[in-house]
Amino acid sequence: MTVIEKAEQQVGTSTTRIEAVDKVTGAARYAGEYPLDELAHGVVVTSTIGRGRVASVGADEILAMPGVIAVLHHGNAPRLHDPGDATLLLLQADTVPHQGAVVALVVASSLEQARAAAEALVVTYDEEPHDVGFTADHPKMYVPDHVNPAFDTETVIGDVDAATQAAEVVVDATYTTPTQQNNAMEPHATTATWHGDHLTVFDSNQGAASVKQSIVKLFGLDQDQVRVLSEHVGGGFGSKGTARAPVVLASMAARTTERPVRVALSRQQMFSLVGYRTPTIQQMRLAAGRDGTITAIDHLAYSQTSTVLEFAEQTAVISRMMYATETLRSRHRLVALDVPTPRWMRAPGEAPGSFALESAIDELAEACGVDPIELRIRNEPTTEPESGLAFSSRSLVACLREGAQRFGWHDRDPRPGIRQDGRWLLGTGVAAATYPARTAPSTAAATAEPDGRFTVRVTASDIGTGARTALTLVAADALGVAPGQVTVLIGDSEFGQAMIAGGSMGMSSWTWAVTDACHELLVERAQREIPADGITVTADTAAKVKAMSRLSRHSFGAQFAEVAVDVRTGEVRVRRMLGIFAAGRIVNPLTARSQLIGGMTMGLSAALLEEAIMDSASGDYVNHDLAGYHVAAHADVPSIEVGWVDEVDHEVNPAGVKGIGELGIVGAPAAIANAVWHATGVRQRDLPIRPDRVIDTHPRPNTA
Ligand code: MOS
């Protein structure tokens, strides 16, 4: 038997990415980069009307163009079975539900030929009037059955109206957030190839096992007929959480043309085909005693969905668990418009919801004359307000205190609009962050190789987060060896069912299965010699996850921002940000820090820049590219510091990790908006805080 020395604990040590060299040298292959023989290229053609029907597709002329192999459209595409996601039923009917919907796929021998032919393709339409006007008083506004993923649409505890009437202080305000678009660096792409009745797809996604299930259902295949490979993925934010158009279209086209086919979306197409964050309108009412003790929280959130699929953002759910209150009302309203289907985008629910809640908390602190950190501490609940459940751990107060100290909060003069630096007004703001810490069933396999090394297989996805590296540290510790002795293989549906890299549940779910498999492997290996093909042990956490005790499990954080505002030009510049988080055990501090900074940067971007603008006449987003849709760039991002408080939580999973994918964005826009108020004395309740909005709220005197 191979003797293995007990290694130092790896979890908690900063470790560079295992695949870093592959990535920077170009050796790492992404879904659209596999060089298959006879590869053909599919280019998606999208609708140019806001609603109606396809009247004709001028395929014949296009088929005569150089290199063109096929034009797929609703009249000739293979028939699909409903996989429970109507957005994937592509080219099945002549209906056009919104601008930018898929109406055809042009396949040619080269990408250039396919692109030229797609541009030349003439599609005519029978146009019908579209409705893209999102307003709270829309006549078709309704109460959804539940909100994403399975929360009650309404929660009511006690009588908020009576509590509000009796309250000494009331904050009653409406906040809005715009449509925000997922813009992962790598656009969605798939390379699909059939060998007889077996389909292999290289696909850019957050979960190969989940995409496989969609393909199995869509094409009516058996489990062993489909393999999804996703070794490297260039970001997702939620937009790759489930299958998207390219994997369906490439699989279809590869079958029809009997050649491997690659389909990659253009940046512009991502604005209508991958799912975005719904705009929200949020009516928020807080009632409190003069000392800031909250007696009522009333959160009513409006959002939109498409006519294709109901997606109900869980915007008001955050208000059910964040602060102690005697009475609570958290409700959602939804309207189905002729718009692209909104889906997940980093911290669905909590990201927009925290903007309203954490802004309103700041307004309440102002109204009560209580420091906003102190006000939050006064309203810290002992159990989850909605359910009465105990928290598995809740370190919000520790984050606020640690952050206050590191940020220099104690010197802060609470009065707004009094600090100046040349043309700039300066202010600081704080907000709380939270995200659920859930765990889902996963499987993993661990192999002891005859040469003394170990191989771990899990259908995890590393979308740039460093998941592969973190899992290697966890596996090394579970096996008691150095990380260099362990190879972790991910992104292959052959490895079995596993949670997606989403909902901040990836690490918590995968580490459990990986740890179990490694521990059982050590037991097996101690009992016998390692045969030539190694010893492999598999683990499935389904039963253990199901048996978890009922607790409220969340991560928390405190966001701080300092801003400079020029009320004459309307400019808002963030000078510094600090985030202190509590998310259980931090597996790899190096990549964890990057991920939290990334979330905070995305929050800054949402606070000041991001907004997809819907044109009611065309039904299209007018700024559907990165020239018009502004994402924070280096010059927008100042010093961002991240820290965390030590938190040990044995109730989340054996590794004690809570997940950090979404937490960093939550509360960041509110911290910035609260800082803008502190700088200027004027509340900004609509995102993004554009220059025109700042100018509009600071009328200049009529004198020269
Ligand atoms: Mo994230 S929106 O859970 O992929």
Side-chain angles (χ1 to χ4, degrees):
M1 208 173 95
T2 322
V3 178
I4 289 152
E5 278 177 47
K6 188 90 184 143
E8 296 287 306
Q9 179 176 303
Q10 297 301 321
V11 168
T13 59
S14 281
T15 309
T16 54
R17 281 161 217 267
I18 287 160
E19 74 282 9
V21 172
D22 282 353
K23 278 184 171 165
V24 297
T25 57
R29 284 231 165 89
Y30 290 79
E33 297 181 333
Y34 286 82
L36 304 184
D37 287 343
E38 296 291 298
L39 180 69
H41 299 260
V43 167
V44 179
V45 178
T46 56
S47 62
T48 55
I49 61 164
R51 190 168 76 95
R53 288 176 188 280
V54 174
S56 70
V57 178
D60 293 346
E61 295 85 339
I62 297 308
L63 285 166
M65 287 180 71
V68 175
I69 301 163
V71 179
L72 291 185
H73 52 82
H74 70 273
N76 65 4
R79 296 300 97 183
L80 299 170
H81 307 275
D82 189 352
D85 177 352
T87 66
L88 299 178
L89 293 173
L90 300 167
L91 307 180
Q92 301 299 294
D94 61 355
T95 45
V96 176
H98 57 77
Q99 277 276 6
V102 175
V103 293
L105 182 79
V106 176
V107 186
S109 295
S110 76
L111 178 59
E112 291 74 15
Q113 289 167 331
R115 205 181 275 153
E119 274 171 26
L121 182 70
V122 176
V123 178
T124 64
Y125 301 94
D126 294 327
E127 201 170 345
E128 293 160 26
H130 58 257
D131 177 5
V132 295
F134 173 61
T135 56
D137 60 358
H138 195 290
K140 289 187 180 160
M141 203 51 87
Y142 68 98
V143 181
D145 203 45
H146 66 277
V147 293
N148 176 50
F151 289 107
D152 291 338
T153 194
E154 296 199 359
T155 289
V156 179
I157 296 172
D159 187 339
V160 289
D161 291 323
T164 305
Q165 257 161 19
E168 290 170 320
V169 182
V170 174
V171 168
D172 190 341
T174 298
Y175 303 86
T176 70
T177 62
T179 295
Q180 294 162 356
Q181 292 279 356
N182 279 301
N183 270 294
M185 281 176 74
E186 179 206 18
H188 298 58
T190 308
T191 305
T193 180
W194 290 84
H195 298 281
D197 285 334
H198 287 75
L199 171 66
T200 302
V201 296
F202 303 93
D203 182 57
S204 180
N205 62 58
Q206 294 172 224
S210 131
V211 169
K212 172 183 163 171
Q213 292 315 319
S214 293
I215 296 295
V216 162
K217 287 179 199 150
L218 279 159
F219 292 88
L221 300 168
D222 294 333
Q223 292 292 334
D224 66 357
Q225 286 177 283
V226 184
R227 184 175 190 184
V228 179
L229 291 151
S230 315
E231 194 183 357
H232 298 288
V233 179
F237 302 125
S239 74
K240 296 174 184 169
T242 50
R244 290 293 183 272
V247 72
V248 182
L249 295 171
S251 302
M252 255 188 195
R255 169 144 265 187
T256 310
T257 63
E258 299 183 336
R259 283 174 66 165
V261 174
R262 172 187 304 160
V263 174
L265 295 184
S266 68
R267 180 63 60 184
Q268 289 85 343
Q269 288 169 343
M270 288 176 65
F271 283 73
S272 60
L273 292 179
V274 307
Y276 56 91
R277 195 192 307 286
T278 173
T280 70
I281 300 165
Q282 301 179 56
Q283 293 166 359
M284 180 68 75
R285 220 163 32 145
L286 299 177
R290 199 154 303 286
D291 66 349
T293 304
I294 294 171
T295 53
I297 298 177
D298 191 4
H299 192 173
L300 175 57
Y302 300 86
S303 62
Q304 74 183 29
T305 187
S306 73
T307 60
V308 180
L309 179 80
E310 180 182 273
F311 180 86
E313 180 98 0
Q314 67 271 43
T315 312
V317 164
I318 187 172
S319 292
R320 302 175 186 174
M321 51 64 63
M322 203 58 191
Y323 299 110
T325 178
E326 287 161 23
T327 68
L328 170 68
R329 189 161 60 189
S330 155
R331 297 174 293 169
H332 298 86
R333 300 288 182 269
L334 193 64
V335 60
L337 300 171
D338 302 315
V339 294
T341 306
R343 301 298 277 272
W344 311 280
M345 179 167 168
R346 201 174 206 161
E350 275 73 3
S354 67
F355 174 63
L357 177 62
E358 293 300 307
S359 294
I361 289 284
D362 204 68
E363 299 203 36
L364 181 64
E366 178 197 354
C368 296
V370 174
D371 175 81
I373 292 179
E374 176 57 29
L375 184 121
R376 286 178 173 85
I377 293 170
R378 273 183 205 172
N379 289 290
E380 178 71 0
T382 48
T383 56
E384 185 179 74
E386 176 189 17
S387 62
L389 290 173
F391 290 98
S392 66
S393 57
R394 178 173 166 124
S395 310
L396 173 59
V397 172
C399 291
L400 288 164
R401 292 213 162 107
E402 169 78 11
Q405 192 179 343
R406 276 179 61 171
F407 193 75
W409 189 262
H410 299 297
D411 299 341
R412 181 182 190 256
D413 186 327
R415 292 170 299 166
I418 57 166
R419 274 154 312 276
Q420 241 174 315
D421 174 13
R423 69 185 174 103
W424 301 99
L425 291 170
L426 304 182
T428 52
V430 64
T434 189
Y435 207 73
R438 290 180 290 233
T439 303
S442 289
T443 62
T447 302
E449 309 287 359
D451 64 1
R453 295 181 51 80
F454 295 89
T455 308
V456 171
R457 291 176 173 82
V458 56
T459 314
S461 182
D462 189 331
I463 61 173
T465 55
R468 180 187 277 103
T469 309
L471 287 170
T472 304
L473 302 184
V474 169
D477 280 357
L479 293 163
V481 301
Q485 284 182 266
V486 185
T487 302
V488 172
L489 300 175
I490 62 170
D492 183 344
S493 63
E494 298 282 286
F495 300 160
Q497 189 279 328
M499 180 56 194
I500 64 164
S504 295
M505 298 163 73
M507 281 306 288
S508 67
S509 307
W510 306 323
T511 54
W512 198 336
V514 166
T515 306
D516 275 9
C518 289
H519 285 163
E520 286 162 37
L521 177 65
L522 291 184
V523 173
E524 279 271 321
R525 203 205 44 179
Q527 292 167 1
R528 56 186 171 115
E529 289 296 313
I530 302 176
D533 59 348
I535 301 174
T536 296
V537 168
T538 60
D540 183 344
T541 61
K544 289 182 177 176
V545 169
K546 203 171 165 208
M548 285 173 84
S549 56
R550 284 199 71 216
L551 287 168
S552 174
R553 295 175 176 85
H554 293 266
S555 53
F556 290 92
Q559 304 262 14
F560 294 80
E562 178 176 349
V563 302
V565 184
D566 183 334
V567 296
R568 287 171 173 271
T569 64
E571 288 166 273
V572 177
R573 305 298 300 179
V574 174
R575 290 199 165 179
R576 63 189 175 110
M577 290 179 82
L578 168 69
I580 301 291
F581 301 98
R585 261 174 115 193
I586 300 299
V587 177
N588 183 357
L590 184 73
T591 49
R593 186 172 169 278
S594 293
Q595 205 175 358
L596 291 162
I597 288 176
M600 291 170 71
T601 305
M602 211 160 158
L604 182 158
S605 199
L608 302 183
L609 299 165
E610 292 192 37
E611 173 178 34
I613 296 162
M614 176 53 81
D615 171 45
S616 61
S618 65
D620 202 0
Y621 292 110
V622 288
N623 55 340
H624 53 251
D625 57 35
L626 291 181
Y629 182 89
H630 292 171
V631 174
H634 276 106
D636 301 306
V637 182
S639 130
I640 295 185
E641 278 186 48
V642 161
W644 42 81
V645 300
D646 290 328
E647 185 174 72
V648 180
D649 188 332
H650 295 299
E651 296 291 346
V652 281
N653 49 63
V657 304
K658 282 185 171 178
I660 49 169
E662 345 238 359
L663 185 60
I665 194 175
V666 181
I672 291 168
N674 294 340
V676 169
W677 166 79
H678 188 231
T680 64
V682 177
R683 290 285 170 188
Q684 297 291 339
R685 300 190 181 99
D686 305 294
L687 294 185
I689 306 172
R690 296 189 312 247
D692 61 299
R693 287 182 164 146
V694 175
I695 290 170
D696 282 353
T697 49
H698 293 86
R700 269 182 260 176
N702 259 338
T703 52

